Structure formats: C-alpha cells, structure tokens
Amino acid sequence: MYKSQNTLSKIVDFTGIGLHSGEKVKISLIPTATDTGINFKINNTLILASWQNAVVSQLCTRLKFGENAISTIEHLMAAISGLGITNLIIKINSNEVPILDGSSKEFVDEIRNAGIIEQKKKQKILKILRKVEYKDQEKFIRISPSKKNNLSIDYTIDYKDQFIKKQNLKYTHSEANFLKIYKSRTFCLHDDLERIFSMGLAKGGSLDNAIVVSGNKILNQGGLRYNNEFVRHKTLDCIGDLYLAGYQIWGDLVTYQGGHELNLRLLREILADKKNYKIVDQNT
C-alpha cells in the first residue's frame, strides 16, 4: 500500500461554501516535488498540514500558523490520505475548506479523474512501537503496534438516540477500503442545531451537505448512502485527522465515542515521546 510518494498529474480546482463560515471559497490542489509534504497556502503563507499546527476546535479540525487559520480540513485530508498522496500544495482563498456534499466524494472523484503520479522516492511510514492512549471520561482512543504493518481502526459510536444508536466499524486503511466509506456524510442531531447556531457555526449548513437526524428519522430526502453511514463518516474523519502525523501510520487503533479532539490529542501523545514510534520505509 502506498509504496512510493505521490502527487497529482495536474492542478485540480474546487469551489463551494464553508460549512461553518458560510463563505464562498475556492481551492486549488497543486502538484509538488518529493519530500515537500501536504501544505495549505493562504495569503502567500504556507501552513504545513501537521499536528504541530493543529488546534482543538469546535466540530472540525483546524490549522493555525501565525495570523492565518484554516478550518474543516478533515474531509480533504481523508481523501488525500485514502488516495496515498504525499506531496501537494492546497491554495485557498478563505479560512475554511469547502464542505461540498459533506463527505470526501467530490474530492476523491476529481482527484482520481485528474490522475495521480507516482514519484521516484519511497514513502515513509510512522510505525507505532508501544501502546498510547488518551481518555476523557467514558470516551477513549488508543493505538497499539500492528503485527500486519498497516493501520486498522476499530471505531464505536454510541449516541443513545432513537435513530443512530450504537454502531461499530472495523476498517483497514487502503485505497480499496477507503473507497467503501468516502461517500459518507457529516451529520448532526436536530436537537443540537440551536446550540450550534448560537456558537456562530454551521452558517453554510444545509440538507445538501449534512445529514440531520430528528427523532427516529433523517430529514434528508434520499435516505442514507450506507446503513451505517454515521460510523463510516466518523472513521473517515479519523483518517483525515491522523494524516496530520505527516505520514501514513502503522498501528491498531481502537476508539469509543472519539472525535476530532481525541484524534488530535492521540497524535500529540504519540509524537511527544520518540519511544512510541519510529519512521520507516514503506517496505520495512
């Protein structure tokens, strides 16, 4: 999986609105050379897509560097990780990545249509060497060494509501498996909307870019794309957040009621101690 570094064959553009800002935004994915990583470019400033620039934010993953910040990067980062892209500049003219349909679908489809170029250097991997865990009351996330040299995710959500209820997904990260979850959309409970709006968020939200659950039904016409779309989307978010390590990860991850904050805190715990991991070539 993902043996070589990769970039795009040409520039790919997207336009849309920010889920939380409601602002119109354009982004351009620009091919770059080996060993440059994934960088966002805003106001002529490059921001490395790294856990070191990530901040805990409400309902999304956010990068901040100096006076510049970019929010809601997770679905794009998931697409980039799922397709094995290692080198890219993401030029953006606003402070939030467009939400599009609320999943990674449009990002993935357009990137695959444009084509991905295999580069002439090996891709490096962050290999977990010992168990690392972060807990927040009943919520937890932990990662342990992988015997199979891959990333596995065992994700459980438990909303205790009438519709979502408890869902679990066991996922092994690869392009083929990612294409089984990449169309899963972000979601919220109708009862939470007033609180979300009062925080100044979801100004660009609609039934075209989010699933809204009300009681024992969803308000979106057309229903769900998968019968367990909710846990698939949470797994997609996790994949995007984990790519802020700067590398694909080899480890066995288990999480219960996780989310963006726990994902980021796990990365911080891992990378705070070099005994937790080592950087290896993909074929090690």
Side-chain angles (χ1 to χ4, degrees), residues 19-31:
L19 173 63
H20 297 301
S21 68
E23 295 179 359
K24 293 182 179 180
V25 56
K26 177 181 178 180
I27 63 172
S28 297
L29 310 187
I30 303 169

Side-chain angles (χ1 to χ4, degrees), residues 263-276:
N263 298 337
L264 177 55
R265 293 194 183 278
L266 179 69
L267 286 181
R268 290 175 178 172
E269 292 288 332
I270 293 168
L271 292 154
D273 189 340
K274 291 185 178 180
K275 293 179 182 178
N276 292 333

Side-chain angles (χ1 to χ4, degrees), residues 42-60:
I42 182 171
N43 300 325
N44 291 317
T45 298
L46 286 179
I47 305 177
L48 182 65
S50 167
W51 63 279
Q52 293 171 303
N53 294 325
V55 293
V56 174
S57 188
Q58 295 285 357
L59 303 177
C60 70

Side-chain angles (χ1 to χ4, degrees), residues 16-172:
I17 61 169
L19 173 63
H20 297 301
S21 68
E23 295 179 359
K24 293 182 179 180
V25 56
K26 177 181 178 180
I27 63 172
S28 297
L29 310 187
I30 303 169
T32 55
T34 56
D35 297 328
T36 53
I38 308 299
N39 290 271
F40 286 81
K41 186 175 184 180
I42 182 171
N43 300 325
N44 291 317
T45 298
L46 286 179
I47 305 177
L48 182 65
S50 167
W51 63 279
Q52 293 171 303
N53 294 325
V55 293
V56 174
S57 188
Q58 295 285 357
L59 303 177
C60 70
T61 299
R62 189 166 182 255
L63 297 176
K64 191 172 189 303
F65 185 79
E67 298 299 314
N68 294 294
I70 303 168
S71 298
T72 320
I73 66 168
E74 55 269 20
H75 304 162
L76 176 56
M77 289 298 296
I80 292 167
S81 174
L83 297 177
I85 297 168
T86 51
N87 302 300
L88 202 63
I89 289 176
I90 303 161
K91 187 177 180 181
I92 185 167
N93 69 349
S94 185
N95 294 107
E96 188 174 19
V97 173
I99 190 62
L100 303 180
D101 76 338
S103 75
S104 292
K105 181 183 184 301
E106 292 182 49
F107 293 126
V108 169
D109 290 348
E110 291 301 317
I111 290 170
R112 294 179 80 204
N113 286 339
I116 298 169
I117 293 177
E118 189 173 288
Q119 297 173 295
K120 293 182 178 180
K121 291 192 74 172
K122 291 287 187 182
Q123 186 170 158
K124 293 189 179 295
I125 303 290
L126 190 153
K127 184 175 183 176
I128 300 298
L129 299 181
R130 63 183 185 180
K131 185 172 78 170
V132 180
E133 186 170 27
Y134 181 83
K135 293 182 178 180
D136 180 6
Q137 298 181 18
E138 67 173 2
K139 301 177 182 179
F140 72 85
I141 186 168
R142 66 171 179 263
I143 194 165
S144 305
S146 168
K147 294 180 180 178
K148 297 182 178 180
N149 284 349
N150 60 24
L151 172 65
S152 68
I153 299 174
D154 184 338
Y155 207 119
T156 301
I157 59 174
D158 189 356
Y159 275 73
K160 300 179 175 64
D161 70 329
Q162 299 177 55
F163 191 83
I164 302 174
K165 301 179 182 177
K166 188 173 185 178
Q167 298 183 8
N168 172 266
L169 181 68
K170 292 179 173 62
Y171 170 91
T172 300

